[in-house]
Amino acid sequence: LNGLPLIIRTLDIGGDKEVPYLSMPAEANPFLGVRGIRLCFARPDLFNTQLRAIYRAAATGPVKIMFPMIATVEELLTARDMAEAVRVELNAPKVEIGIMIEVPSAVLMAAELALHADFFSVGTNDLTQYTLAMDRLHPSLARQADALHPAVLRMIDLTVKAAKAAGRWVGVCGGMAGDPKGAAILAGLGVAELSMSIPSVAAIKARLRKQSMADMRALAQRALSCKNAAEVRAL
């Protein structure tokens, strides 16, 4: 990447991300089951192999590690300890370690998590479905699982405030970051980085450059006080 930083999310399997060769047992509710960091703990052989690969890659450029589906402080500490053991084994340089904020418990514990994470990345797809208790893949509920719902925006606002208080930055990955309306509100909430597919970059840049930061902050505050996603979109 010619010296640009690369954030590598560790194995995020489970839920709607199926991997046939792992032969994972069927779960009645996979979104609330063994997925993300929970699977990594259950399969340290996979987790440690990936961590070794990441630390080896870190020798060739600025790499950051990001853990998915962190729900508790204990999970973050365990993951950090496992990563540190691998780093020491390889005598590799230290790298920044961040986490995905995808579940309400992580939002509510963001102040404590920020003490042990270098950055946050809000996964709006999962955060939306867990906040609204609506499966984003459900045929009749998916349209209501809108990331621009004020409940989701307030979750992001809480996350950004907790991170800033600890001197951490917050990014967003998920469909909301690539939505021009969502991107403007996220910028207004204080999100520092937006992750999106390459075709979306030009449109998002154009949208953000048309507005002042003061205007986007005002927009975000109005969005936070709305009663539903339709009101937010109407702004």
Side-chain angles (χ1 to χ4, degrees), residues 1-6 60-63:
L1 294 178
N2 295 320
L4 294 174
L6 175 67
T60 66
V63 166

Side-chain angles (χ1 to χ4, degrees), residues 77-200:
L77 294 176
T78 298
R80 286 198 69 119
D81 286 346
M82 294 177 73
E84 179 62 11
V86 169
R87 187 193 71 79
V88 171
E89 170 195 334
L90 297 177
N91 193 29
K94 289 193 174 185
V95 302
E96 288 188 16
I97 292 179
I99 62 171
M100 296 288 293
I101 300 289
E102 301 170 276
V103 297
S105 64
V107 174
L108 297 175
M109 297 299 293
E112 289 77 12
L113 289 167
L115 300 176
H116 307 286
D118 296 304
F119 62 91
F120 291 158
S121 182
V122 180
T124 55
N125 296 350
D126 272 323
L127 183 60
T128 299
Q129 74 170 354
Y130 289 127
T131 299
L132 299 177
M134 292 180 181
D135 185 344
R136 56 190 169 88
L137 302 178
H138 194 285
S140 61
L141 294 177
R143 289 188 65 184
Q144 299 178 58
D146 191 335
L148 287 180
H149 193 286
V152 180
L153 300 181
R154 291 174 192 180
M155 286 283 190
I156 297 170
D157 184 47
L158 288 173
T159 301
V160 172
K161 286 176 177 174
K164 284 191 172 181
R168 312 302 191 200
W169 61 270
V170 178
V172 166
C173 59
M176 186 179 177
D179 174 356
K181 294 179 180 179
I185 292 174
L186 290 172
L189 290 175
V191 170
E193 180 189 85
L194 301 174
S195 174
M196 67 200 72
S197 61
I198 291 174
S200 301

Side-chain angles (χ1 to χ4, degrees), residues 176-189 191-196 200-217 219:
M176 186 179 177
D179 174 356
K181 294 179 180 179
I185 292 174
L186 290 172
L189 290 175
V191 170
E193 180 189 85
L194 301 174
S195 174
M196 67 200 72
S200 301
V201 172
I204 298 300
K205 279 188 174 181
R207 174 61 184 267
L208 295 180
R209 286 171 176 170
K210 287 179 181 177
Q211 295 179 270
S212 70
M213 184 57 75
D215 287 343
M216 287 188 283
R217 288 193 183 113
L219 171 68

